[in-house]
Amino acid sequence: MVQNAWLIPLFPLVAYLLLFVLGRRAQEGIVTAISVLAALAGFIVSLLILSDVHANGASAPYVFHWLTVGQNTLSMGFEVTPLNAMMLTVVTFISTLVLLFSKGYLHGDARYSVFYQYLNLFIFSMLGLVISPNLLQVYIFWELVGLCSFLLVGFWYFKPEAAAAAKKAFIVTRIGDVGLFIGIVLIYVATGTFEYSGVFEAFEAKKFAIDWITPDHFITLVAILMFIGAMGKSAQFPLHTWLPDAMEGPTPVSALIHAATMVAAGVYLVARAFPIFEASPDALTVIGIIGGITAIFAALIGLTQNDIKRVVAYSTVSQLGYMVMALGVSAYAASTFHLMTHAFFKALLFLAAGSVIHAIHHNQDIRFMGGLWKKLPLTGWTFLIGALALSGIPPFAGFWSKDEILLGALKSGNTTLFVLGLIAAFCTAFYIFRVFFMTFTGEFRGEKEVYEHAHESGSVMTIPLVLLSIMAIVAGLLNSPLTDHAFEHFIFGGGEEIGKVYDTEWWLAGLATVVALAGIGLSYLMYKSKSINPEALANGPLRPFYQLSLNKFYVDELYHVAIVKPVVWIGHILNFIDKWVVDGIVHLFGEGTYIGSLGLKYSQNGQVQTYGLVTLIGALLLIGAAMYAVGGVK
Amino acid sequence: MNGINGVTQLAFSDVWRVMAPEILLVLGGFLILVLDLFMNKESSRRLSPQLGILFLIAAFVMTIRNFGLVSDQTAGGTGELLNLSNMLYVLDDFGNVFKLLFTAGTALVLLMSIDFFKQNPEVKVAEYTYLMLFATTGAMVMASSLDLITLFVGLELLSISSYVLVAMRRNHAKSAEGGMKYLVIGSIASAMALYGMSFLYGVTGQTNLAYGAQTVIQMWLQFKPLLTLAFLLMLIGFGVKVSLVPFHQWSPDTYEGAPNPVTAFLAVVSKAAGFALILRTFLWGFSGVFGDVYIYLVILAALTMVVGNVAALSQKNIKRLLAYSSVAQAGYLLLPLAVLGKGKSIDNIWLALGQTSFYLVAYLFMTMGAFAVLTVVTRQAGNETLEAFRGLWKRAPFLAVSMAVFVLSMAGMPLTAGFIGKFYIFLGTINTEMYWLGGLLFATSAIAFYYYFGVLKAMFLKDSAVQSHDKIQVPVSLTVTIAIGLIGTLALGIFPDLLMKFLNGLHWFGQ
């Protein structure tokens, strides 16, 4: 079965081409049917491959010759490992549900078909990234998913915020891409290959074809450069700012791309190339710290946000921080496990949020929601399940995976990271239940009429919610003591352990649960029973902290002052120099030439003399410098 | 073939063997010229471009035949190039590759021009067509000659035809202005190149590059400043033709003023011819002392990449934007030659020629396509600013998607020809350990993403400035040009080995 893995990305590509040929006026039903069937076919093949890998373990990559560069040949192809078999299944599963959900969510949109085209293109690119057997191919698809993300975030381009967010997402993630690209090229220079297997061998032997840096420093340098790429895609501090803004895209996009799949690509890359990172303890330390900071930082911002999607977005940033932190403390299995469970419950939370937004006419501000449980019981239940899973309440999915990350942090001796993780877990439980209570309980605070008309959407939107809820409940059991950590055995492919694995500490699981319950409890007191007045807190002694969190620690403003403004100013200054100083000097000469050559007057304006003069000055400078250099001028 | 007193007697069959494509184009040019005198205006307008394309295709086919001749000659094992008049004019795969580029490029330009003729009845079609053919012949001479005098004649044939072509729309102020500027700056360039050549002749006593190269090595220590001066003057002269910074200033104005097909001709064919000249002259004439002069190429390449890309950032006019972008591309194209200064092994030379040729082919496809889209879009909008592209996705999805592919390719997005081309050049800088140049290539490409992004944003993320029921009619000739550009850009991006295998197997200099 494994040799057929190339089919999986092919399905959405074919769907994309079909939709493209059908054009923008294709009927909604046909468009959805083609897309969902393609994704479903991919899911079925993925499942077959998953069971094959489960039975037979990973196989060698399938590659074909792509091009010859000098003495080296580069290849393209695909590979199936336990890790990417899991990713393929998760991506195709969530894609199928999101494509289905979008039928309801985008019903009637003038560019319905275009939306599905972009989504299919994205799914193709994401699957291509996952099955790549070499770093060059990863980079190619890495850029493609970024491009699709740009198109989808800006899908509602008539909203200025959406266009701005699309641009921001594209440019901020490109900063990371630059790091990744340099890292990949350095690896190629040092090892002569892009293939994972060849690269890993070279890194294990520490034999590199470069002499300007010691092997150990080289490994750290490359690991950090690649991690910068992961930081951009996976929205790690300080490159996290694009992800919350990307919520301007339609909600199904947020669920698929900005929660479950593309943003996890950074984590996936670090996990896939883990031998590179494992070879550098320094790089791992950096990764752990960045992950820890991101986890707590985003959780603190999430406490005070009022836009339902933004809260969930900050929680995504925070959970990605957990995964990165887990990799930093070598808890490989815990990180990949959390990647999987998070994909389920975060997609669920986004789709449930989408269902709410859809029901009350695209309002996203939780201050104008409330009491929706009665109107949207199914959405309420599923959101509650997602919230419990995110908070880490047993037996929901997030409990098992988050617990393992905290365990890994503690056992590796990084007590600070462990404490940060625990505080972030408290904040997480608090803010997600703040959203839950403000949305579903109490009185509706928006327009009465909207509330009257709010109703549960059709089955295309509720079926995905239910299926994802089931996964959010049971997926965690896969790596629990109850199933003898089946996931771990699977992800190691029956071979050696990657990273470190620890036995479950029940006291820790208990502590994490208590912390999460405390967060939920506080949230209950503030937003349900109203025994604590949140307004009084916000305007009282905690005001500075409240403002800091509400304004997202002023990171965007900081970037504006520290980077954007200086660059603009440098631009102004260069412009000024160009306009007044260079032009002025040239003009001075130019006038002279002009007077001296009245015969050329009819050439419309003086510029052509200027051009000639600049050419001559350039020539004289070059020749002068050269003559000086070769000693022709004494 | 050995004649009396060093003068070679040439039989037509010998000339035909070496110069068949050139002869065909000259014949075609004269035929169109003569037919124009005898035919009525209407049929001449209709027939001329078709005849022109036909002769270009014939020349293309003859060039393909030439690959076989070169290969036979190499297999013969005498180690000598097929040549005329004692290495005055040679037949090798280097010239052949460029001739393929020139004929294909000009054929596409003529295809695009058919629509331009319809829109501009005042343009003299026959004149335009035979000038194109003569210009292409000039380009071919530049790629195949080994003698400074014939090289210069080729350069002038191309240049003078181009000056006229730019100013073809006589009652169009900008067109005339662009032509005038190109003429003035181009003449300065020719003068400089000629001056440089005269120094080279003065020192070596040779006009032939193949023989002169030996003398250059012998004379180098004694006449280093003079020979460096010769090198620089020629570099500056050629640099103007391919618009290297700081000799690029004519190009935005000329590109803006020239009719779109002529701009595409300047951007692709004329630029490729300039690179053929640069590679031929410097790799042959200065091969022995290249390690001492390459640094000037490095400086100009670096300057060109930086200034071209930065200046493009603030352009609002799409043709000027493409002009600056084409300046930047000249910088990338100079890199493979420049990095040969370090590590000038035979293998590296073939690699550098492969890199330049691959990028030129990629550049041909994306530039031709972009100019074809541009022609349709700017005409409908009535202006040449980025605004014209607003909401193009809604009005004409095919045009928008095609343009997106072309600009993404110019920016270097994976799966397009532009990415592979840049990546290939990039590997060359790594190969010769000139990491900082590779870094600069990468950094300036990142800047380039920003302005190409402006085009994408206008097409996909903005509402149309024009009513959406104004469907855009795309003439067939332009649709074909766009489709060829699109297929080429994507095919080379996904299956680059199609071309790379071919390039790797060539006998560049008949080796």
Side-chain angles (χ1 to χ4, degrees), chain A residues 60-388:
Chain A
Y62 296 81
V63 293
F64 61 89
H65 174 82
W66 188 48
L67 62 93
T68 310
V69 181
Q71 273 85 38
N72 294 326
T73 56
L74 306 181
S75 52
M76 290 277 143
F78 63 95
E79 63 164 12
V80 176
T81 63
L83 176 65
N84 75 6
M86 179 274 281
M87 282 294 282
L88 289 174
T89 316
V90 172
V91 171
T92 47
F93 177 69
I94 294 177
S95 301
T96 313
L97 297 182
V98 165
L99 287 167
L100 195 63
F101 184 89
S102 307
K103 181 175 190 325
Y105 198 83
L106 273 116
H107 174 67
D109 194 297
R111 298 195 305 149
Y112 185 88
S113 173
V114 176
F115 181 78
Y116 272 84
Q117 283 174 26
Y118 289 168
L119 269 190
N120 276 305
L121 189 62
F122 168 77
I123 297 167
F124 157 71
S125 314
M126 185 68 208
L127 293 169
L129 192 156
V130 170
I131 66 168
S132 297
N134 66 60
L135 289 166
L136 184 64
Q137 202 177 331
V138 164
Y139 180 77
I140 288 174
F141 284 107
W142 186 271
E143 291 287 351
L144 278 182
V145 289
L147 184 69
C148 296
S149 161
F150 157 72
L151 287 171
L152 283 163
V153 170
F155 184 71
W156 284 328
Y157 55 80
F158 39 83
K159 293 198 296 185
E161 300 88 6
K167 187 172 170 179
K168 187 169 173 182
F170 195 68
I171 288 169
V172 173
T173 51
R174 274 206 74 78
I175 296 174
D177 296 350
V178 173
L180 176 66
F181 185 78
I182 297 174
I184 291 178
V185 167
L186 283 179
I187 289 178
Y188 178 72
V189 172
T191 67
T193 178
F194 289 111
E195 305 297 318
Y196 282 126
S197 49
V199 171
F200 293 165
E201 272 167 33
F203 271 73
E204 205 172 3
K206 297 198 178 176
K207 275 198 176 146
F208 303 116
I210 44 170
D211 49 12
W212 46 270
I213 188 169
T214 64
D216 283 322
H217 284 108
F218 176 73
I219 294 173
T220 306
L221 176 70
V222 165
I224 297 217
L225 283 168
M226 285 182 70
F227 180 61
I228 291 175
M231 282 167 68
K233 269 287 184 277
S234 287
Q236 296 297 294
F237 179 84
L239 298 180
H240 65 284
T241 54
W242 67 271
L243 184 57
D245 285 13
M247 294 302 123
E248 294 296 341
T251 307
V253 170
S254 314
L256 179 62
I257 301 186
H258 304 118
T261 56
M262 186 190 83
V263 290
V267 179
Y268 172 78
L269 179 72
V270 178
R272 183 65 192 87
F274 199 61
I276 295 177
F277 297 90
E278 212 176 15
S280 167
D282 292 342
L284 280 185
T285 309
V286 171
I287 292 172
I289 292 171
I290 294 282
I293 292 176
T294 310
I296 183 76
F297 187 78
L300 288 174
I301 297 174
L303 294 175
T304 55
Q305 300 302 308
N306 291 319
D307 180 316
I308 184 168
K309 281 183 72 182
R310 278 186 178 257
V311 179
V312 186
Y314 276 107
S315 109
T316 306
V317 176
S318 169
Q319 298 299 310
L320 289 166
Y322 270 108
M323 296 173 214
V324 169
M325 179 176 91
L327 288 170
V329 298
S330 288
Y332 175 85
S335 177
T336 50
F337 185 47
H338 196 57
L339 171 68
M340 182 184 84
T341 56
H342 173 258
F344 293 129
F345 65 70
K346 189 52 60 68
L348 169 64
L349 281 171
F350 265 117
L351 291 189
S355 176
V356 171
I357 295 166
H358 192 63
I360 56 171
H361 300 290
H362 291 265
N363 168 32
Q364 302 186 182
D365 195 328
I366 51 174
R367 285 171 296 186
F368 302 104
M369 296 181 189
L372 288 167
W373 187 272
K374 281 178 228 126
K375 290 283 182 186
L376 308 167
L378 189 77
T379 305
W381 272 109
T382 51
F383 192 94
L384 179 62
I385 291 168
L388 288 168

Side-chain angles (χ1 to χ4, degrees), chain B residues 379-403:
Chain B
R379 182 194 314 138
Q380 198 229 13
N383 68 64
E384 291 182 347
T385 61
L386 274 178
E387 288 293 295
F389 282 83
R390 271 178 59 167
L392 184 65
W393 167 247
K394 267 193 169 171
R395 289 177 283 148
F398 171 68
L399 290 181
V401 169
S402 311
M403 192 67 180

Side-chain angles (χ1 to χ4, degrees), chain B residues 182-227:
Chain B
Y182 191 28
L183 170 67
V184 173
I185 304 295
S187 309
I188 295 177
S190 296
M192 284 208 176
L194 195 59
Y195 198 35
M197 288 174 177
S198 72
F199 280 123
L200 191 60
Y201 174 71
V203 174
T204 63
Q206 292 272 3
T207 54
N208 191 294
L209 289 171
Y211 302 123
Q214 290 306 317
T215 328
V216 168
I217 300 174
Q218 289 159 17
M219 298 290 180
W220 182 248
L221 284 180
Q222 202 181 343
F223 291 104
K224 199 173 171 187
L226 207 55
L227 283 170

Side-chain angles (χ1 to χ4, degrees), chain B residues 137-158:
Chain B
T137 315
M140 288 181 164
V141 173
M142 287 159 76
S144 291
S145 179
L146 270 188
D147 193 282
L148 291 174
I149 295 175
T150 19
L151 280 176
F152 187 75
V153 170
L155 176 65
E156 285 307 282
L157 182 55
L158 170 67

